[in-house]
Amino acid sequence: MKSHTRVAVIGGGVIGCSVLYHLTKLGWTDIMLIERSELTSGSTWHAAGGFHTLNADTNMAALQGYTIQLYRELEELSGQSCGLHHVGGITLAGTPDRMDFLKAERAKHRYMGLETEIVGPDEIRKLSPITNTDGVLGGLYDPLDGHLDPSGTTQAYARAARMAGAEIVLRNPVHETNPLADGTWQVVTENGTIIAEHVVNAAGLWAREVGALAGVYLPLHPMEHQYLVTEDTPEVYENDRELPHVMDPEGESYLRQEGRGLVIGFYEQACEHWAVDGTPADFGHELLTDKLDRIGDALQFAFRRYPVLERAGIKTIVNGPFTFATDGNPLVGPVPGLRNYWSACAVMAGFSQGGGVGLTLAEWMVEGEPSRDVFAMDVARFGDWITPGYTREKVRENYQRRFSVSYPNEELPAARPFQTTPAYGLWQARRAPATARRPGSSETAAPPAVPRWDRTPKIAADSFRGPFRGCSRA
Ligand SMILES: Cc1cc2nc3c(=O)[nH]c(=O)nc-3n(C[C@H](O)[C@H](O)[C@H](O)COP(=O)(O)OP(=O)(O)OC[C@H]3O[C@@H](n4cnc5c(N)ncnc54)[C@H](O)[C@@H]3O)c2cc1C
């Protein structure tokens, strides 16, 4: 292992490997990735491997389009298969609001150059004969949607980066990251110390802990997530072509073909935070205990939407954790208050967004700024008021709203009031509503406020020096 490097990327999941590859693509080759265990040892190996372009934020949708279109190039360059299945995907609409939302997405896609189209129930049945379209008004079809092999894809990024000169060091946990007076970093690892001109935190499930090594709090939290894999099912394997993905927002589920069976995953309302007190250092190669009772209602809905599921036996249940930021978008860019310290964390859809995140960060580091508007994922988009208690409430809300219709400039209710304007007391005295109202609905929901006692950071207390130290870039 070398003792000096231009960049030390911490973490060998799909995101760290994508950052490494994109840095080489932009001409930085004296760089290294340091991985605690083997590549893919965090969330990456659990992933269902689905990818899609749909995202309420236009710039995020464009980066997702970039990621998906990159895979063929990556396969050719690295000689490593990503196990691509471009089977297409349909997002169903069961309400007029959702139909309007999908039409608005389609309009956005048109100017982004993405070839999505609105389809009716007959067409949906033709594309996916196992889908019961009762109550479905239509859907958005995206021919680019599909799935891949998470491990093969991570290895493809890694191999392409290695071929360009990057070094990858495995089985070598990073224990310390210490800033030096000249702006470089001392990276203390199990097997020696490296001086790095730049550090990238791509530690995924452990991004909080790795951030704390540098004294920063990154507002992300892991959530448990479950999907089921069925036994071989004749209605699936007797079909003359692979079935497309179906996202059913009303049922909080996504479904795709896996070999001769199906995979169905859920973003259920009764979701659970994972590892509130920090991700265990020795976690990584095991699954969490499955909790089918949590997805009981969503499963019942899925049986009606896909009657074939009732006859298909369950082969495997996967319950694994992955991280979200408070608004569901990644935390990317230079971390405020630290020199030459970069974040590539909280990527909740690594196979839809990983390429775009890697490209954005590499442009920022090599060229001084990214080539497109990245406000939606800029790590500096939060203030220094953010705390783990706030993060948990917002992350739960975000997980529950994974399939909700989103509206422009929407204010969401969880964890409010937390940060108020100076006029807040005046408004309250004049009885302005303290509850949030969803657009188009008369229903008001009392927001779950973050209790006062929960406003202190809990992660890695010894090395933790609080939330972002100021919001200006160093
Ligand atoms: C059940 C499940 C299903 C999913 N399905 C999908 C899907 O269909 N599509 C999709 O796009 N995404 C899916 N995801 C999410 C996807 O897995 C994540 O977006 C992605 O894996 C995040 O990758 P990462 O590289 O950021 O983090 P991780 O995969 O967590 O990688 C972080 C790496 O950093 C290393 N590391 C940590 N600390 C240190 C240290 N101190 N020193 C050195 N190395 C360190 C770890 O060992 C690990 O290898 C799913 C996740 C789960 C759990």
Short mmCIF file of all heavy atoms in Angstrom, two decimals, residues 10-16 34-51 172-175 202-206 210 213 225-227 254 318-322 344-353, ligand 1:
data_model
loop_
_atom_site.label_atom_id
_atom_site.label_comp_id
_atom_site.label_asym_id
_atom_site.label_seq_id
_atom_site.Cartn_x
_atom_site.Cartn_y
_atom_site.Cartn_z
N ILE A 10 -12.94 6.28 1.00
CA ILE A 10 -13.20 5.30 2.08
C ILE A 10 -14.51 4.59 1.78
O ILE A 10 -15.58 5.22 1.80
CB ILE A 10 -13.25 5.98 3.45
CG1 ILE A 10 -11.96 6.77 3.70
CG2 ILE A 10 -13.49 4.95 4.56
CD1 ILE A 10 -11.96 7.61 4.98
N GLY A 11 -14.44 3.30 1.50
CA GLY A 11 -15.65 2.51 1.27
C GLY A 11 -15.73 1.94 -0.13
O GLY A 11 -15.68 2.68 -1.11
N GLY A 12 -15.86 0.62 -0.20
CA GLY A 12 -15.88 -0.08 -1.50
C GLY A 12 -17.25 -0.66 -1.80
O GLY A 12 -17.36 -1.80 -2.24
N GLY A 13 -18.31 0.13 -1.58
CA GLY A 13 -19.63 -0.23 -2.09
C GLY A 13 -19.76 0.31 -3.51
O GLY A 13 -18.79 0.82 -4.09
N VAL A 14 -20.96 0.26 -4.07
CA VAL A 14 -21.12 0.71 -5.45
C VAL A 14 -20.77 2.19 -5.58
O VAL A 14 -20.23 2.62 -6.61
CB VAL A 14 -22.55 0.41 -5.97
CG1 VAL A 14 -23.62 1.17 -5.20
CG2 VAL A 14 -22.66 0.72 -7.45
N ILE A 15 -21.00 2.98 -4.52
CA ILE A 15 -20.76 4.42 -4.64
C ILE A 15 -19.26 4.74 -4.61
O ILE A 15 -18.75 5.47 -5.45
CB ILE A 15 -21.51 5.19 -3.53
CG1 ILE A 15 -23.01 4.91 -3.63
CG2 ILE A 15 -21.23 6.69 -3.60
CD1 ILE A 15 -23.62 5.20 -5.00
N GLY A 16 -18.53 4.16 -3.66
CA GLY A 16 -17.08 4.39 -3.61
C GLY A 16 -16.43 3.97 -4.92
O GLY A 16 -15.57 4.68 -5.46
N ILE A 34 -10.06 2.53 -0.08
CA ILE A 34 -9.73 1.69 1.08
C ILE A 34 -11.02 1.07 1.59
O ILE A 34 -11.98 1.79 1.91
CB ILE A 34 -9.07 2.53 2.19
CG1 ILE A 34 -7.88 3.31 1.62
CG2 ILE A 34 -8.61 1.63 3.34
CD1 ILE A 34 -7.37 4.41 2.53
N GLU A 35 -11.05 -0.25 1.65
CA GLU A 35 -12.26 -0.96 2.05
C GLU A 35 -11.95 -1.80 3.30
O GLU A 35 -10.97 -2.53 3.34
CB GLU A 35 -12.75 -1.83 0.88
CG GLU A 35 -13.75 -2.90 1.21
CD GLU A 35 -15.01 -2.42 1.94
OE1 GLU A 35 -15.59 -1.39 1.55
OE2 GLU A 35 -15.40 -3.08 2.94
N ARG A 36 -12.81 -1.69 4.27
CA ARG A 36 -12.73 -2.38 5.56
C ARG A 36 -12.68 -3.90 5.39
O ARG A 36 -11.98 -4.63 6.09
CB ARG A 36 -14.00 -1.95 6.28
CG ARG A 36 -14.45 -2.53 7.51
CD ARG A 36 -15.87 -1.99 7.78
NE ARG A 36 -16.85 -2.67 6.96
CZ ARG A 36 -17.66 -3.62 7.38
NH1 ARG A 36 -17.65 -4.00 8.62
NH2 ARG A 36 -18.52 -4.20 6.56
N SER A 37 -13.46 -4.40 4.41
CA SER A 37 -13.61 -5.85 4.26
C SER A 37 -13.41 -6.19 2.78
O SER A 37 -12.36 -5.89 2.23
CB SER A 37 -14.99 -6.22 4.79
OG SER A 37 -15.27 -7.56 4.59
N GLU A 38 -14.40 -6.79 2.12
CA GLU A 38 -14.34 -7.02 0.67
C GLU A 38 -15.22 -5.95 0.00
O GLU A 38 -16.06 -5.34 0.66
CB GLU A 38 -14.91 -8.41 0.33
CG GLU A 38 -14.25 -9.56 1.06
CD GLU A 38 -12.78 -9.74 0.68
OE1 GLU A 38 -12.40 -9.35 -0.44
OE2 GLU A 38 -12.01 -10.23 1.52
N LEU A 39 -15.08 -5.76 -1.32
CA LEU A 39 -15.99 -4.85 -2.03
C LEU A 39 -17.42 -5.36 -1.82
O LEU A 39 -17.64 -6.56 -1.71
CB LEU A 39 -15.67 -4.82 -3.53
CG LEU A 39 -14.30 -4.24 -3.92
CD1 LEU A 39 -14.14 -4.25 -5.45
CD2 LEU A 39 -14.09 -2.83 -3.39
N THR A 40 -18.37 -4.46 -1.78
CA THR A 40 -19.82 -4.73 -1.61
C THR A 40 -20.20 -5.19 -0.20
O THR A 40 -21.24 -5.80 -0.02
CB THR A 40 -20.41 -5.76 -2.62
OG1 THR A 40 -20.05 -7.08 -2.22
CG2 THR A 40 -19.98 -5.50 -4.04
N SER A 41 -19.39 -4.89 0.82
CA SER A 41 -19.69 -5.43 2.16
C SER A 41 -20.70 -4.63 2.97
O SER A 41 -20.91 -4.92 4.14
CB SER A 41 -18.39 -5.51 2.97
OG SER A 41 -17.57 -6.48 2.43
N GLY A 42 -21.33 -3.61 2.39
CA GLY A 42 -22.35 -2.86 3.13
C GLY A 42 -23.72 -3.15 2.58
O GLY A 42 -24.10 -4.31 2.40
N SER A 43 -24.49 -2.09 2.26
CA SER A 43 -25.83 -2.29 1.69
C SER A 43 -25.77 -2.94 0.32
O SER A 43 -26.72 -3.60 -0.10
CB SER A 43 -26.53 -0.93 1.51
OG SER A 43 -26.71 -0.32 2.74
N THR A 44 -24.66 -2.70 -0.37
CA THR A 44 -24.61 -3.06 -1.79
C THR A 44 -24.95 -4.52 -2.06
O THR A 44 -25.67 -4.83 -3.00
CB THR A 44 -23.22 -2.68 -2.35
OG1 THR A 44 -23.09 -1.26 -2.24
CG2 THR A 44 -23.07 -3.08 -3.80
N TRP A 45 -24.47 -5.43 -1.22
CA TRP A 45 -24.71 -6.85 -1.56
C TRP A 45 -26.15 -7.27 -1.33
O TRP A 45 -26.62 -8.25 -1.92
CB TRP A 45 -23.72 -7.77 -0.83
CG TRP A 45 -24.05 -8.05 0.61
CD1 TRP A 45 -23.60 -7.35 1.68
CD2 TRP A 45 -24.87 -9.10 1.14
NE1 TRP A 45 -24.11 -7.88 2.83
CE2 TRP A 45 -24.89 -8.96 2.53
CE3 TRP A 45 -25.61 -10.14 0.56
CZ2 TRP A 45 -25.61 -9.80 3.36
CZ3 TRP A 45 -26.33 -10.99 1.40
CH2 TRP A 45 -26.31 -10.82 2.79
N HIS A 46 -26.91 -6.52 -0.47
CA HIS A 46 -28.31 -6.90 -0.25
C HIS A 46 -29.23 -6.48 -1.38
O HIS A 46 -30.37 -6.90 -1.44
CB HIS A 46 -28.92 -6.14 0.94
CG HIS A 46 -28.23 -6.29 2.23
ND1 HIS A 46 -27.36 -5.36 2.71
CD2 HIS A 46 -28.35 -7.24 3.17
CE1 HIS A 46 -26.96 -5.74 3.90
NE2 HIS A 46 -27.53 -6.87 4.21
N ALA A 47 -28.79 -5.52 -2.21
CA ALA A 47 -29.73 -4.78 -3.07
C ALA A 47 -30.48 -5.68 -4.03
O ALA A 47 -29.96 -6.70 -4.49
CB ALA A 47 -28.97 -3.71 -3.84
N ALA A 48 -31.71 -5.25 -4.34
CA ALA A 48 -32.53 -5.98 -5.30
C ALA A 48 -32.07 -5.65 -6.73
O ALA A 48 -32.52 -6.29 -7.68
CB ALA A 48 -34.00 -5.62 -5.12
N GLY A 49 -31.23 -4.64 -6.88
CA GLY A 49 -30.60 -4.37 -8.17
C GLY A 49 -31.47 -3.66 -9.19
O GLY A 49 -31.09 -3.53 -10.36
N GLY A 50 -32.62 -3.13 -8.77
CA GLY A 50 -33.50 -2.44 -9.71
C GLY A 50 -32.97 -1.05 -10.04
O GLY A 50 -32.28 -0.43 -9.23
N PHE A 51 -33.24 -0.57 -11.27
CA PHE A 51 -32.89 0.82 -11.60
C PHE A 51 -34.00 1.45 -12.43
O PHE A 51 -34.73 0.77 -13.15
CB PHE A 51 -31.54 0.92 -12.32
CG PHE A 51 -31.38 0.06 -13.54
CD1 PHE A 51 -31.96 0.41 -14.74
CD2 PHE A 51 -30.64 -1.12 -13.48
CE1 PHE A 51 -31.81 -0.37 -15.87
CE2 PHE A 51 -30.48 -1.92 -14.62
CZ PHE A 51 -31.07 -1.54 -15.81
N ASN A 172 -8.99 -3.58 5.16
CA ASN A 172 -8.16 -2.55 5.80
C ASN A 172 -9.02 -1.41 6.34
O ASN A 172 -9.13 -0.35 5.71
CB ASN A 172 -7.14 -2.03 4.77
CG ASN A 172 -6.10 -1.14 5.42
OD1 ASN A 172 -5.83 -1.27 6.62
ND2 ASN A 172 -5.53 -0.24 4.64
N PRO A 173 -9.64 -1.60 7.52
CA PRO A 173 -10.51 -0.53 8.04
C PRO A 173 -9.75 0.78 8.29
O PRO A 173 -8.60 0.76 8.73
CB PRO A 173 -11.02 -1.08 9.37
CG PRO A 173 -10.54 -2.47 9.48
CD PRO A 173 -9.56 -2.76 8.39
N VAL A 174 -10.42 1.89 8.00
CA VAL A 174 -9.88 3.21 8.34
C VAL A 174 -10.28 3.51 9.78
O VAL A 174 -11.46 3.44 10.13
CB VAL A 174 -10.43 4.29 7.38
CG1 VAL A 174 -10.08 5.68 7.87
CG2 VAL A 174 -9.90 4.05 5.97
N HIS A 175 -9.30 3.84 10.63
CA HIS A 175 -9.58 4.11 12.04
C HIS A 175 -9.61 5.60 12.37
O HIS A 175 -10.25 6.02 13.32
CB HIS A 175 -8.56 3.43 12.94
CG HIS A 175 -8.62 1.92 12.86
ND1 HIS A 175 -9.79 1.22 13.02
CD2 HIS A 175 -7.66 0.99 12.63
CE1 HIS A 175 -9.56 -0.08 12.90
NE2 HIS A 175 -8.27 -0.24 12.66
N ALA A 202 -17.28 7.55 1.47
CA ALA A 202 -18.27 6.77 0.71
C ALA A 202 -18.58 5.52 1.52
O ALA A 202 -18.68 4.42 0.97
CB ALA A 202 -17.72 6.42 -0.67
N ALA A 203 -18.71 5.70 2.83
CA ALA A 203 -18.79 4.55 3.73
C ALA A 203 -20.22 4.05 3.96
O ALA A 203 -20.46 3.25 4.85
CB ALA A 203 -18.11 4.88 5.06
N GLY A 204 -21.16 4.51 3.15
CA GLY A 204 -22.51 3.93 3.12
C GLY A 204 -23.13 3.74 4.49
O GLY A 204 -23.37 4.71 5.22
N LEU A 205 -23.34 2.49 4.86
CA LEU A 205 -23.97 2.18 6.15
C LEU A 205 -23.19 2.73 7.34
O LEU A 205 -23.74 2.91 8.42
CB LEU A 205 -24.04 0.66 6.32
CG LEU A 205 -25.28 -0.07 5.80
CD1 LEU A 205 -25.17 -1.54 6.17
CD2 LEU A 205 -26.55 0.54 6.35
N TRP A 206 -21.89 2.96 7.14
CA TRP A 206 -21.03 3.49 8.23
C TRP A 206 -20.64 4.94 7.98
O TRP A 206 -19.70 5.45 8.59
CB TRP A 206 -19.75 2.65 8.36
CG TRP A 206 -19.98 1.24 8.79
CD1 TRP A 206 -19.90 0.74 10.05
CD2 TRP A 206 -20.34 0.15 7.94
NE1 TRP A 206 -20.19 -0.59 10.04
CE2 TRP A 206 -20.47 -0.98 8.77
CE3 TRP A 206 -20.57 0.01 6.58
CZ2 TRP A 206 -20.83 -2.24 8.27
CZ3 TRP A 206 -20.93 -1.23 6.08
CH2 TRP A 206 -21.04 -2.34 6.92
N VAL A 210 -17.79 7.18 9.95
CA VAL A 210 -16.60 7.71 9.26
C VAL A 210 -16.63 9.24 9.29
O VAL A 210 -15.61 9.89 9.49
CB VAL A 210 -16.49 7.12 7.83
CG1 VAL A 210 -15.45 7.86 7.00
CG2 VAL A 210 -16.14 5.64 7.90
N LEU A 213 -15.29 10.49 12.51
CA LEU A 213 -13.82 10.45 12.63
C LEU A 213 -13.23 11.83 12.26
O LEU A 213 -12.15 12.19 12.71
CB LEU A 213 -13.21 9.40 11.69
CG LEU A 213 -13.56 7.92 11.94
CD1 LEU A 213 -12.87 7.04 10.90
CD2 LEU A 213 -13.15 7.49 13.35
N HIS A 225 -35.27 -2.64 5.21
CA HIS A 225 -36.05 -2.76 3.98
C HIS A 225 -36.16 -4.24 3.59
O HIS A 225 -35.18 -4.96 3.64
CB HIS A 225 -35.36 -1.97 2.86
CG HIS A 225 -36.09 -2.02 1.56
ND1 HIS A 225 -37.30 -1.39 1.37
CD2 HIS A 225 -35.80 -2.63 0.38
CE1 HIS A 225 -37.70 -1.60 0.13
NE2 HIS A 225 -36.82 -2.36 -0.48
N GLN A 226 -37.39 -4.64 3.21
CA GLN A 226 -37.60 -6.07 2.93
C GLN A 226 -38.08 -6.31 1.50
O GLN A 226 -38.89 -5.56 0.99
CB GLN A 226 -38.66 -6.63 3.86
CG GLN A 226 -38.25 -6.57 5.33
CD GLN A 226 -39.25 -7.29 6.21
OE1 GLN A 226 -39.09 -8.46 6.51
NE2 GLN A 226 -40.27 -6.58 6.62
N TYR A 227 -37.54 -7.38 0.92
CA TYR A 227 -38.15 -7.89 -0.32
C TYR A 227 -38.20 -9.41 -0.27
O TYR A 227 -37.44 -10.05 0.47
CB TYR A 227 -37.46 -7.36 -1.58
CG TYR A 227 -36.01 -7.77 -1.80
CD1 TYR A 227 -35.68 -8.99 -2.39
CD2 TYR A 227 -34.97 -6.91 -1.45
CE1 TYR A 227 -34.36 -9.35 -2.62
CE2 TYR A 227 -33.65 -7.25 -1.68
CZ TYR A 227 -33.35 -8.47 -2.27
OH TYR A 227 -32.04 -8.82 -2.49
N TYR A 254 -42.76 -2.68 -5.30
CA TYR A 254 -42.17 -2.81 -6.64
C TYR A 254 -41.99 -4.29 -6.91
O TYR A 254 -41.74 -5.08 -5.99
CB TYR A 254 -40.82 -2.06 -6.74
CG TYR A 254 -39.79 -2.49 -5.72
CD1 TYR A 254 -38.93 -3.56 -5.97
CD2 TYR A 254 -39.67 -1.83 -4.50
CE1 TYR A 254 -37.98 -3.96 -5.03
CE2 TYR A 254 -38.72 -2.21 -3.56
CZ TYR A 254 -37.88 -3.29 -3.82
OH TYR A 254 -36.95 -3.68 -2.89
N VAL A 318 -35.52 -11.18 2.19
CA VAL A 318 -34.32 -10.38 2.46
C VAL A 318 -34.75 -9.17 3.28
O VAL A 318 -35.64 -8.42 2.87
CB VAL A 318 -33.64 -9.92 1.15
CG1 VAL A 318 -32.50 -8.96 1.44
CG2 VAL A 318 -33.15 -11.11 0.36
N ASN A 319 -34.14 -8.99 4.45
CA ASN A 319 -34.33 -7.77 5.22
C ASN A 319 -32.95 -7.17 5.45
O ASN A 319 -32.11 -7.77 6.13
CB ASN A 319 -35.01 -8.07 6.56
CG ASN A 319 -35.33 -6.80 7.34
OD1 ASN A 319 -35.27 -5.70 6.79
ND2 ASN A 319 -35.68 -6.95 8.61
N GLY A 320 -32.70 -6.03 4.82
CA GLY A 320 -31.37 -5.41 4.94
C GLY A 320 -31.50 -3.92 5.17
O GLY A 320 -32.53 -3.33 4.85
N PRO A 321 -30.45 -3.29 5.73
CA PRO A 321 -30.52 -1.85 5.97
C PRO A 321 -29.82 -1.04 4.88
O PRO A 321 -28.83 -1.48 4.31
CB PRO A 321 -29.74 -1.70 7.28
CG PRO A 321 -28.74 -2.82 7.25
CD PRO A 321 -29.28 -3.91 6.37
N PHE A 322 -30.36 0.14 4.59
CA PHE A 322 -29.63 1.11 3.76
C PHE A 322 -30.00 2.52 4.19
O PHE A 322 -30.98 2.72 4.90
CB PHE A 322 -29.79 0.86 2.26
CG PHE A 322 -31.17 1.01 1.69
CD1 PHE A 322 -31.43 1.94 0.70
CD2 PHE A 322 -32.19 0.19 2.10
CE1 PHE A 322 -32.69 2.06 0.14
CE2 PHE A 322 -33.46 0.29 1.55
CZ PHE A 322 -33.71 1.23 0.56
N ALA A 344 -19.89 11.34 -0.31
CA ALA A 344 -20.64 10.60 -1.36
C ALA A 344 -21.47 9.58 -0.59
O ALA A 344 -21.23 8.37 -0.67
CB ALA A 344 -19.69 9.94 -2.34
N CYS A 345 -22.43 10.10 0.19
CA CYS A 345 -23.16 9.24 1.14
C CYS A 345 -24.67 9.35 0.93
O CYS A 345 -25.14 10.20 0.17
CB CYS A 345 -22.90 9.70 2.57
SG CYS A 345 -21.19 9.78 2.99
N ALA A 346 -25.38 8.51 1.69
CA ALA A 346 -26.85 8.55 1.73
C ALA A 346 -27.46 8.32 0.35
O ALA A 346 -28.48 8.92 0.01
CB ALA A 346 -27.35 9.88 2.32
N VAL A 347 -26.84 7.47 -0.43
CA VAL A 347 -27.38 7.17 -1.76
C VAL A 347 -28.35 5.99 -1.59
O VAL A 347 -27.92 4.87 -1.42
CB VAL A 347 -26.27 6.84 -2.76
CG1 VAL A 347 -26.85 6.70 -4.16
CG2 VAL A 347 -25.20 7.93 -2.74
N MET A 348 -29.64 6.31 -1.61
CA MET A 348 -30.62 5.25 -1.29
C MET A 348 -30.94 4.38 -2.51
O MET A 348 -31.55 3.34 -2.35
CB MET A 348 -31.90 5.83 -0.67
CG MET A 348 -32.65 6.86 -1.47
SD MET A 348 -33.64 6.25 -2.84
CE MET A 348 -34.67 5.06 -2.05
N ALA A 349 -30.56 4.80 -3.70
CA ALA A 349 -30.79 3.98 -4.89
C ALA A 349 -29.49 3.91 -5.67
O ALA A 349 -29.34 4.53 -6.73
CB ALA A 349 -31.91 4.58 -5.73
N GLY A 350 -28.56 3.18 -5.13
CA GLY A 350 -27.20 3.16 -5.67
C GLY A 350 -27.12 2.74 -7.12
O GLY A 350 -26.20 3.15 -7.84
N PHE A 351 -28.08 1.94 -7.57
CA PHE A 351 -27.98 1.43 -8.95
C PHE A 351 -28.74 2.32 -9.94
O PHE A 351 -28.58 2.18 -11.14
CB PHE A 351 -28.41 -0.04 -9.00
CG PHE A 351 -27.48 -0.83 -8.13
CD1 PHE A 351 -27.81 -1.12 -6.81
CD2 PHE A 351 -26.22 -1.15 -8.58
CE1 PHE A 351 -26.91 -1.76 -5.98
CE2 PHE A 351 -25.31 -1.78 -7.75
CZ PHE A 351 -25.66 -2.09 -6.44
N SER A 352 -29.55 3.24 -9.42
CA SER A 352 -30.16 4.25 -10.28
C SER A 352 -29.30 5.52 -10.27
O SER A 352 -29.27 6.26 -11.24
CB SER A 352 -31.56 4.64 -9.78
OG SER A 352 -32.42 3.55 -9.80
N GLN A 353 -28.65 5.78 -9.13
CA GLN A 353 -28.00 7.09 -8.95
C GLN A 353 -26.48 7.04 -8.88
O GLN A 353 -25.82 8.07 -8.96
CB GLN A 353 -28.52 7.72 -7.65
CG GLN A 353 -30.02 7.89 -7.61
CD GLN A 353 -30.55 8.36 -6.27
OE1 GLN A 353 -29.92 8.14 -5.24
NE2 GLN A 353 -31.72 8.99 -6.28
C1 LIG B 1 -32.83 -4.88 0.92
C2 LIG B 1 -32.28 -3.80 0.03
C3 LIG B 1 -32.73 -3.69 -1.30
C4 LIG B 1 -32.23 -2.67 -2.12
N1 LIG B 1 -32.64 -2.61 -3.42
C5 LIG B 1 -32.13 -1.66 -4.25
C6 LIG B 1 -32.50 -1.62 -5.61
O1 LIG B 1 -33.29 -2.42 -6.10
N2 LIG B 1 -31.95 -0.65 -6.37
C7 LIG B 1 -31.07 0.27 -5.88
O2 LIG B 1 -30.60 1.13 -6.64
N3 LIG B 1 -30.70 0.24 -4.59
C8 LIG B 1 -31.21 -0.70 -3.77
N4 LIG B 1 -30.82 -0.74 -2.46
C9 LIG B 1 -29.96 0.34 -1.95
C10 LIG B 1 -28.51 0.11 -2.33
O3 LIG B 1 -28.09 -1.10 -1.76
C11 LIG B 1 -27.67 1.28 -1.82
O4 LIG B 1 -28.13 2.47 -2.44
C12 LIG B 1 -26.19 1.14 -2.15
O5 LIG B 1 -25.73 -0.15 -1.87
C13 LIG B 1 -25.37 2.15 -1.37
O6 LIG B 1 -24.02 1.89 -1.63
P1 LIG B 1 -22.84 2.60 -0.84
O7 LIG B 1 -21.59 2.30 -1.60
O8 LIG B 1 -23.19 4.01 -0.59
O9 LIG B 1 -22.82 1.95 0.60
P2 LIG B 1 -22.41 0.50 1.15
O10 LIG B 1 -22.82 -0.56 0.21
O11 LIG B 1 -22.93 0.43 2.53
O12 LIG B 1 -20.84 0.52 1.13
C14 LIG B 1 -20.04 1.15 2.10
C15 LIG B 1 -18.69 0.44 2.16
O13 LIG B 1 -17.85 1.17 3.02
C16 LIG B 1 -17.04 0.26 3.75
N5 LIG B 1 -16.58 0.93 4.98
C17 LIG B 1 -17.36 1.41 5.99
N6 LIG B 1 -16.59 1.93 6.98
C18 LIG B 1 -15.30 1.79 6.57
C19 LIG B 1 -14.05 2.12 7.17
N7 LIG B 1 -13.97 2.70 8.38
N8 LIG B 1 -12.93 1.81 6.48
C20 LIG B 1 -12.98 1.24 5.25
N9 LIG B 1 -14.14 0.88 4.65
C21 LIG B 1 -15.29 1.15 5.31
C22 LIG B 1 -18.02 -0.89 4.03
O14 LIG B 1 -17.36 -2.09 4.36
C23 LIG B 1 -18.80 -0.97 2.73
O15 LIG B 1 -18.24 -1.90 1.81
C24 LIG B 1 -31.27 -1.76 -1.61
C25 LIG B 1 -30.81 -1.90 -0.31
C26 LIG B 1 -31.29 -2.91 0.51
C27 LIG B 1 -30.76 -3.04 1.89
#
